[in-house]
Amino acid sequence: MLELKNINLSFGEFSIFDINLQLDKGDYFVLLGPSGAGKSVVLELIAGILSPNSGQLFLNREDITRKRIQERSVGLVFQDFALFPHLNVFQNIAYSLKIKRWKKERIAERVAELANQMDIAHLLQRNTRDLSGGEKQRVALARTLALSPELLLLDEPLASLDIQLKKELRSQLRKLHKMGQTIVHVTHDFEEAILLADKIAIFNQGKIVQQGLKAQVFSQPKSEFVAHFIGVKNYFLVSKTEENTLEIEGKIKLRCKKEISKRATIQAVMIHSGDISLNRISESQAEHTENVFSGTLVDVYPAFRGYELLIDIGMPLVVNISHKQFLQMEFAEGSRLECTISAENIQIIE
Amino acid sequence: MNTPKNINLLFAFLSGLILLFIVGPLIGMMLDTPLSDIYETGKEKEVTDSIVLTLGASFLGTLFFAIGAIPFAYLLARKEFRFKRLISGIIDIPVVIPHSAAGIALLGFVSRDSVLGKAADSMGFSFVGHPIGITTAMAFVSLPYLINAARNGFESVPVRLEKAALNLGASSFKMFFSISLPLAWRSILSGLIMMFARGMSEFGAVVIIAYHPLTTPVMIFERFGAFGLKYAQPVALIFIAISLMVFIVLRWLSGKNVHA
């Protein structure tokens, strides 16, 4: 449905390089990356607000690279909503319909339909300056959907909302997606990507560093940057030394399952921070058994469900434990700990 | 060492002196002018004609030149182009040069021998000694107030609102008239009022382009020169009162517009 081919754009000190993307009708595509990575620029390119220096954009196989912004059938919801402050909610939603010279009755009908869909029917005569963040977001969505764009572009749509509103809006976006709306969603939050995306492209410094189906990207991050960005805390580049054994930075030897170690192209390993078991030990007890590493607790951070411990085992290892376990084991910075990594929990990246 | 309270007292005292400097001469003139003189002067046709001419010329000049000045301000606010800083500087020239010098420059531009003057002649009028010449002189010295205020207004409109309008299908014209102009309107109106007020009070440039018909500032000067202070004061008071009334009403209207 949408295809970006070798798109390049430079302005000022900022550039995006060789962007290639392909979306099918009905996709929920998330562009994920840190601030300033170039995600929003790609949205503005698709919308037609910016033009590329080189490369092509196709929408339904039609070359839209130089097509006017008004004729693209692409709706963009801006990060800060960009509601028109001198117009009320009704007038904001009706803006594009008035431009298309719809009749008054038809405009009123369409606005009412959208307002019901977005649950903002009671706000139609309100001034947009008096709305909460969540309400503004719904009005912005309704306004963009008024002309039923083929492609909906969302720039950090949940960034300024509190947890409850995020949840509500996520469900609204899922609903839209289920109704067949093709969506491109820009975010820096990997949890949003997990919860909403079919496909993901990871951006860094103006380039796409990895893209594909969500499951693929999350299970096979191609680089340390991608791994860390999608929330993987323990991602290590490895080299194979002998049968069943992988070496991390020449320091740590990890034993893995036989059938895995036969593969020739192992690049890295990923260990989920919740899959490492932890015990307290004294200095004398430290043993060098298979995949058991002794280390020192460097730092403790409260996490969503319990705590996150940073342990130095010759390399930094992040381990998640429950609140209960944390209290039972009475950890303190500098404690000596024993980390056990089961061979089954070592995820191989090829 | 001074406490904040002492500083506030000192600043309040200095502010009082400045305020007195502004208001003192006006109050002094009011107290010095008998009401009967004001009443008699107000009845003179020459005076009322002059006030109508002054307000009308400035008002029409403001409206006419706004047609070009507002889009110009938008370009300056939104676009980057070569010599933009130079052009911004040129706009301010009428404010910084002596207005009599501005009048001389303008006279060279619109006199009967100039291209513009000849074109006007062929249409049956002359800028010199004509209300159109007065309007031109008033606009020349007061345009920077409108352009600069409108430019500030457009700069304060977030670009993303314009992008949103384009994305919603608006043409550039529609975007300008439905988003940029209404959102910058407060500043533009302020600029229009400033241009109008500055234009009607202009003396230096106007007196060179058109001594006659008499605008009120020229009439005040003429009466002062011919008959002295006492004869000029009633006209000056009437003109100040009318200027203040117009200014207050326009300010009030612009305030109402903002909160509408």
Side-chain angles (χ1 to χ4, degrees), chain B residues 59-74:
Chain B
F59 188 73
L60 289 176
T62 303
L63 285 190
F64 180 75
F65 281 91
I67 295 167
I70 293 171
F72 186 17
Y74 182 76

mmCIF file with all atom_site columns, all heavy atoms in Angstrom, chain B residues 59-74:
data_model
loop_
_atom_site.group_PDB
_atom_site.id
_atom_site.type_symbol
_atom_site.label_atom_id
_atom_site.label_alt_id
_atom_site.label_comp_id
_atom_site.label_asym_id
_atom_site.label_entity_id
_atom_site.label_seq_id
_atom_site.pdbx_PDB_ins_code
_atom_site.Cartn_x
_atom_site.Cartn_y
_atom_site.Cartn_z
_atom_site.occupancy
_atom_site.B_iso_or_equiv
_atom_site.pdbx_formal_charge
_atom_site.auth_seq_id
_atom_site.auth_comp_id
_atom_site.auth_asym_id
_atom_site.auth_atom_id
_atom_site.pdbx_PDB_model_num
ATOM 1   N N   . PHE B 1 59 ? -6.980  56.754 8.343  1.00 0.00 ? 59 PHE B N   1
ATOM 2   C CA  . PHE B 1 59 ? -7.749  55.510 8.340  1.00 0.00 ? 59 PHE B CA  1
ATOM 3   C C   . PHE B 1 59 ? -7.676  54.820 6.975  1.00 0.00 ? 59 PHE B C   1
ATOM 4   O O   . PHE B 1 59 ? -7.377  53.618 6.884  1.00 0.00 ? 59 PHE B O   1
ATOM 5   C CB  . PHE B 1 59 ? -9.204  55.828 8.706  1.00 0.00 ? 59 PHE B CB  1
ATOM 6   C CG  . PHE B 1 59 ? -10.045 54.605 8.910  1.00 0.00 ? 59 PHE B CG  1
ATOM 7   C CD1 . PHE B 1 59 ? -9.889  53.823 10.041 1.00 0.00 ? 59 PHE B CD1 1
ATOM 8   C CD2 . PHE B 1 59 ? -10.993 54.219 7.968  1.00 0.00 ? 59 PHE B CD2 1
ATOM 9   C CE1 . PHE B 1 59 ? -10.652 52.680 10.238 1.00 0.00 ? 59 PHE B CE1 1
ATOM 10  C CE2 . PHE B 1 59 ? -11.761 53.076 8.150  1.00 0.00 ? 59 PHE B CE2 1
ATOM 11  C CZ  . PHE B 1 59 ? -11.594 52.314 9.283  1.00 0.00 ? 59 PHE B CZ  1
ATOM 12  N N   . LEU B 1 60 ? -7.911  55.609 5.927  1.00 0.00 ? 60 LEU B N   1
ATOM 13  C CA  . LEU B 1 60 ? -7.877  55.021 4.586  1.00 0.00 ? 60 LEU B CA  1
ATOM 14  C C   . LEU B 1 60 ? -6.468  54.546 4.221  1.00 0.00 ? 60 LEU B C   1
ATOM 15  O O   . LEU B 1 60 ? -6.295  53.484 3.620  1.00 0.00 ? 60 LEU B O   1
ATOM 16  C CB  . LEU B 1 60 ? -8.378  56.035 3.546  1.00 0.00 ? 60 LEU B CB  1
ATOM 17  C CG  . LEU B 1 60 ? -9.881  56.320 3.610  1.00 0.00 ? 60 LEU B CG  1
ATOM 18  C CD1 . LEU B 1 60 ? -10.263 57.401 2.601  1.00 0.00 ? 60 LEU B CD1 1
ATOM 19  C CD2 . LEU B 1 60 ? -10.684 55.043 3.338  1.00 0.00 ? 60 LEU B CD2 1
ATOM 20  N N   . GLY B 1 61 ? -5.476  55.347 4.600  1.00 0.00 ? 61 GLY B N   1
ATOM 21  C CA  . GLY B 1 61 ? -4.089  54.957 4.335  1.00 0.00 ? 61 GLY B CA  1
ATOM 22  C C   . GLY B 1 61 ? -3.753  53.638 5.031  1.00 0.00 ? 61 GLY B C   1
ATOM 23  O O   . GLY B 1 61 ? -3.130  52.745 4.447  1.00 0.00 ? 61 GLY B O   1
ATOM 24  N N   . THR B 1 62 ? -4.202  53.515 6.272  1.00 0.00 ? 62 THR B N   1
ATOM 25  C CA  . THR B 1 62 ? -3.940  52.286 7.040  1.00 0.00 ? 62 THR B CA  1
ATOM 26  C C   . THR B 1 62 ? -4.581  51.090 6.337  1.00 0.00 ? 62 THR B C   1
ATOM 27  O O   . THR B 1 62 ? -3.941  50.052 6.138  1.00 0.00 ? 62 THR B O   1
ATOM 28  C CB  . THR B 1 62 ? -4.486  52.435 8.474  1.00 0.00 ? 62 THR B CB  1
ATOM 29  O OG1 . THR B 1 62 ? -3.877  53.583 9.067  1.00 0.00 ? 62 THR B OG1 1
ATOM 30  C CG2 . THR B 1 62 ? -4.196  51.212 9.314  1.00 0.00 ? 62 THR B CG2 1
ATOM 31  N N   . LEU B 1 63 ? -5.849  51.255 5.951  1.00 0.00 ? 63 LEU B N   1
ATOM 32  C CA  . LEU B 1 63 ? -6.553  50.144 5.291  1.00 0.00 ? 63 LEU B CA  1
ATOM 33  C C   . LEU B 1 63 ? -5.894  49.782 3.957  1.00 0.00 ? 63 LEU B C   1
ATOM 34  O O   . LEU B 1 63 ? -5.654  48.611 3.662  1.00 0.00 ? 63 LEU B O   1
ATOM 35  C CB  . LEU B 1 63 ? -8.021  50.510 5.039  1.00 0.00 ? 63 LEU B CB  1
ATOM 36  C CG  . LEU B 1 63 ? -8.944  50.491 6.246  1.00 0.00 ? 63 LEU B CG  1
ATOM 37  C CD1 . LEU B 1 63 ? -10.393 50.644 5.772  1.00 0.00 ? 63 LEU B CD1 1
ATOM 38  C CD2 . LEU B 1 63 ? -8.814  49.199 7.047  1.00 0.00 ? 63 LEU B CD2 1
ATOM 39  N N   . PHE B 1 64 ? -5.603  50.824 3.158  1.00 0.00 ? 64 PHE B N   1
ATOM 40  C CA  . PHE B 1 64 ? -5.060  50.583 1.822  1.00 0.00 ? 64 PHE B CA  1
ATOM 41  C C   . PHE B 1 64 ? -3.691  49.886 1.895  1.00 0.00 ? 64 PHE B C   1
ATOM 42  O O   . PHE B 1 64 ? -3.457  48.878 1.226  1.00 0.00 ? 64 PHE B O   1
ATOM 43  C CB  . PHE B 1 64 ? -4.952  51.915 1.066  1.00 0.00 ? 64 PHE B CB  1
ATOM 44  C CG  . PHE B 1 64 ? -4.409  51.765 -0.321 1.00 0.00 ? 64 PHE B CG  1
ATOM 45  C CD1 . PHE B 1 64 ? -5.203  51.239 -1.344 1.00 0.00 ? 64 PHE B CD1 1
ATOM 46  C CD2 . PHE B 1 64 ? -3.097  52.114 -0.618 1.00 0.00 ? 64 PHE B CD2 1
ATOM 47  C CE1 . PHE B 1 64 ? -4.698  51.083 -2.623 1.00 0.00 ? 64 PHE B CE1 1
ATOM 48  C CE2 . PHE B 1 64 ? -2.587  51.966 -1.893 1.00 0.00 ? 64 PHE B CE2 1
ATOM 49  C CZ  . PHE B 1 64 ? -3.390  51.441 -2.898 1.00 0.00 ? 64 PHE B CZ  1
ATOM 50  N N   . PHE B 1 65 ? -2.812  50.414 2.730  1.00 0.00 ? 65 PHE B N   1
ATOM 51  C CA  . PHE B 1 65 ? -1.470  49.842 2.777  1.00 0.00 ? 65 PHE B CA  1
ATOM 52  C C   . PHE B 1 65 ? -1.426  48.490 3.512  1.00 0.00 ? 65 PHE B C   1
ATOM 53  O O   . PHE B 1 65 ? -0.506  47.707 3.323  1.00 0.00 ? 65 PHE B O   1
ATOM 54  C CB  . PHE B 1 65 ? -0.484  50.836 3.386  1.00 0.00 ? 65 PHE B CB  1
ATOM 55  C CG  . PHE B 1 65 ? -0.058  51.890 2.402  1.00 0.00 ? 65 PHE B CG  1
ATOM 56  C CD1 . PHE B 1 65 ? -0.746  53.098 2.293  1.00 0.00 ? 65 PHE B CD1 1
ATOM 57  C CD2 . PHE B 1 65 ? 1.002   51.656 1.536  1.00 0.00 ? 65 PHE B CD2 1
ATOM 58  C CE1 . PHE B 1 65 ? -0.378  54.049 1.356  1.00 0.00 ? 65 PHE B CE1 1
ATOM 59  C CE2 . PHE B 1 65 ? 1.379   52.604 0.600  1.00 0.00 ? 65 PHE B CE2 1
ATOM 60  C CZ  . PHE B 1 65 ? 0.691   53.811 0.506  1.00 0.00 ? 65 PHE B CZ  1
ATOM 61  N N   . ALA B 1 66 ? -2.452  48.228 4.324  1.00 0.00 ? 66 ALA B N   1
ATOM 62  C CA  . ALA B 1 66 ? -2.503  46.929 5.027  1.00 0.00 ? 66 ALA B CA  1
ATOM 63  C C   . ALA B 1 66 ? -2.604  45.782 4.021  1.00 0.00 ? 66 ALA B C   1
ATOM 64  O O   . ALA B 1 66 ? -2.103  44.677 4.268  1.00 0.00 ? 66 ALA B O   1
ATOM 65  C CB  . ALA B 1 66 ? -3.688  46.898 5.976  1.00 0.00 ? 66 ALA B CB  1
ATOM 66  N N   . ILE B 1 67 ? -3.223  46.065 2.864  1.00 0.00 ? 67 ILE B N   1
ATOM 67  C CA  . ILE B 1 67 ? -3.409  45.010 1.853  1.00 0.00 ? 67 ILE B CA  1
ATOM 68  C C   . ILE B 1 67 ? -2.052  44.443 1.420  1.00 0.00 ? 67 ILE B C   1
ATOM 69  O O   . ILE B 1 67 ? -1.909  43.241 1.195  1.00 0.00 ? 67 ILE B O   1
ATOM 70  C CB  . ILE B 1 67 ? -4.180  45.575 0.626  1.00 0.00 ? 67 ILE B CB  1
ATOM 71  C CG1 . ILE B 1 67 ? -5.587  45.968 1.055  1.00 0.00 ? 67 ILE B CG1 1
ATOM 72  C CG2 . ILE B 1 67 ? -4.221  44.568 -0.511 1.00 0.00 ? 67 ILE B CG2 1
ATOM 73  C CD1 . ILE B 1 67 ? -6.328  46.811 0.024  1.00 0.00 ? 67 ILE B CD1 1
ATOM 74  N N   . GLY B 1 68 ? -1.046  45.288 1.346  1.00 0.00 ? 68 GLY B N   1
ATOM 75  C CA  . GLY B 1 68 ? 0.290   44.793 0.988  1.00 0.00 ? 68 GLY B CA  1
ATOM 76  C C   . GLY B 1 68 ? 1.146   44.484 2.201  1.00 0.00 ? 68 GLY B C   1
ATOM 77  O O   . GLY B 1 68 ? 1.954   43.563 2.189  1.00 0.00 ? 68 GLY B O   1
ATOM 78  N N   . ALA B 1 69 ? 0.923   45.269 3.276  1.00 0.00 ? 69 ALA B N   1
ATOM 79  C CA  . ALA B 1 69 ? 1.818   45.145 4.440  1.00 0.00 ? 69 ALA B CA  1
ATOM 80  C C   . ALA B 1 69 ? 1.617   43.817 5.180  1.00 0.00 ? 69 ALA B C   1
ATOM 81  O O   . ALA B 1 69 ? 2.591   43.221 5.669  1.00 0.00 ? 69 ALA B O   1
ATOM 82  C CB  . ALA B 1 69 ? 1.584   46.317 5.388  1.00 0.00 ? 69 ALA B CB  1
ATOM 83  N N   . ILE B 1 70 ? 0.383   43.342 5.258  1.00 0.00 ? 70 ILE B N   1
ATOM 84  C CA  . ILE B 1 70 ? 0.125   42.115 6.024  1.00 0.00 ? 70 ILE B CA  1
ATOM 85  C C   . ILE B 1 70 ? 0.746   40.888 5.325  1.00 0.00 ? 70 ILE B C   1
ATOM 86  O O   . ILE B 1 70 ? 1.466   40.115 5.961  1.00 0.00 ? 70 ILE B O   1
ATOM 87  C CB  . ILE B 1 70 ? -1.391  41.951 6.322  1.00 0.00 ? 70 ILE B CB  1
ATOM 88  C CG1 . ILE B 1 70 ? -1.821  43.065 7.277  1.00 0.00 ? 70 ILE B CG1 1
ATOM 89  C CG2 . ILE B 1 70 ? -1.694  40.583 6.917  1.00 0.00 ? 70 ILE B CG2 1
ATOM 90  C CD1 . ILE B 1 70 ? -3.309  43.181 7.497  1.00 0.00 ? 70 ILE B CD1 1
ATOM 91  N N   . PRO B 1 71 ? 0.535   40.701 4.015  1.00 0.00 ? 71 PRO B N   1
ATOM 92  C CA  . PRO B 1 71 ? 1.245   39.590 3.353  1.00 0.00 ? 71 PRO B CA  1
ATOM 93  C C   . PRO B 1 71 ? 2.775   39.726 3.431  1.00 0.00 ? 71 PRO B C   1
ATOM 94  O O   . PRO B 1 71 ? 3.484   38.731 3.594  1.00 0.00 ? 71 PRO B O   1
ATOM 95  C CB  . PRO B 1 71 ? 0.771   39.691 1.898  1.00 0.00 ? 71 PRO B CB  1
ATOM 96  C CG  . PRO B 1 71 ? -0.543  40.384 1.973  1.00 0.00 ? 71 PRO B CG  1
ATOM 97  C CD  . PRO B 1 71 ? -0.430  41.337 3.106  1.00 0.00 ? 71 PRO B CD  1
ATOM 98  N N   . PHE B 1 72 ? 3.260   40.972 3.355  1.00 0.00 ? 72 PHE B N   1
ATOM 99  C CA  . PHE B 1 72 ? 4.702   41.213 3.472  1.00 0.00 ? 72 PHE B CA  1
ATOM 100 C C   . PHE B 1 72 ? 5.198   40.741 4.850  1.00 0.00 ? 72 PHE B C   1
ATOM 101 O O   . PHE B 1 72 ? 6.225   40.056 4.972  1.00 0.00 ? 72 PHE B O   1
ATOM 102 C CB  . PHE B 1 72 ? 4.947   42.719 3.274  1.00 0.00 ? 72 PHE B CB  1
ATOM 103 C CG  . PHE B 1 72 ? 6.385   43.132 3.220  1.00 0.00 ? 72 PHE B CG  1
ATOM 104 C CD1 . PHE B 1 72 ? 7.414   42.223 2.987  1.00 0.00 ? 72 PHE B CD1 1
ATOM 105 C CD2 . PHE B 1 72 ? 6.738   44.470 3.385  1.00 0.00 ? 72 PHE B CD2 1
ATOM 106 C CE1 . PHE B 1 72 ? 8.742   42.627 2.925  1.00 0.00 ? 72 PHE B CE1 1
ATOM 107 C CE2 . PHE B 1 72 ? 8.059   44.884 3.330  1.00 0.00 ? 72 PHE B CE2 1
ATOM 108 C CZ  . PHE B 1 72 ? 9.062   43.950 3.102  1.00 0.00 ? 72 PHE B CZ  1
ATOM 109 N N   . ALA B 1 73 ? 4.437   41.081 5.879  1.00 0.00 ? 73 ALA B N   1
ATOM 110 C CA  . ALA B 1 73 ? 4.806   40.671 7.243  1.00 0.00 ? 73 ALA B CA  1
ATOM 111 C C   . ALA B 1 73 ? 4.803   39.146 7.356  1.00 0.00 ? 73 ALA B C   1
ATOM 112 O O   . ALA B 1 73 ? 5.666   38.555 8.018  1.00 0.00 ? 73 ALA B O   1
ATOM 113 C CB  . ALA B 1 73 ? 3.819   41.265 8.244  1.00 0.00 ? 73 ALA B CB  1
ATOM 114 N N   . TYR B 1 74 ? 3.849   38.505 6.670  1.00 0.00 ? 74 TYR B N   1
ATOM 115 C CA  . TYR B 1 74 ? 3.778   37.037 6.718  1.00 0.00 ? 74 TYR B CA  1
ATOM 116 C C   . TYR B 1 74 ? 5.029   36.411 6.085  1.00 0.00 ? 74 TYR B C   1
ATOM 117 O O   . TYR B 1 74 ? 5.615   35.473 6.632  1.00 0.00 ? 74 TYR B O   1
ATOM 118 C CB  . TYR B 1 74 ? 2.513   36.552 6.001  1.00 0.00 ? 74 TYR B CB  1
ATOM 119 C CG  . TYR B 1 74 ? 2.353   35.053 6.066  1.00 0.00 ? 74 TYR B CG  1
ATOM 120 C CD1 . TYR B 1 74 ? 1.918   34.439 7.237  1.00 0.00 ? 74 TYR B CD1 1
ATOM 121 C CD2 . TYR B 1 74 ? 2.661   34.241 4.979  1.00 0.00 ? 74 TYR B CD2 1
ATOM 122 C CE1 . TYR B 1 74 ? 1.791   33.071 7.327  1.00 0.00 ? 74 TYR B CE1 1
ATOM 123 C CE2 . TYR B 1 74 ? 2.539   32.863 5.055  1.00 0.00 ? 74 TYR B CE2 1
ATOM 124 C CZ  . TYR B 1 74 ? 2.095   32.290 6.224  1.00 0.00 ? 74 TYR B CZ  1
ATOM 125 O OH  . TYR B 1 74 ? 1.986   30.922 6.314  1.00 0.00 ? 74 TYR B OH  1
#
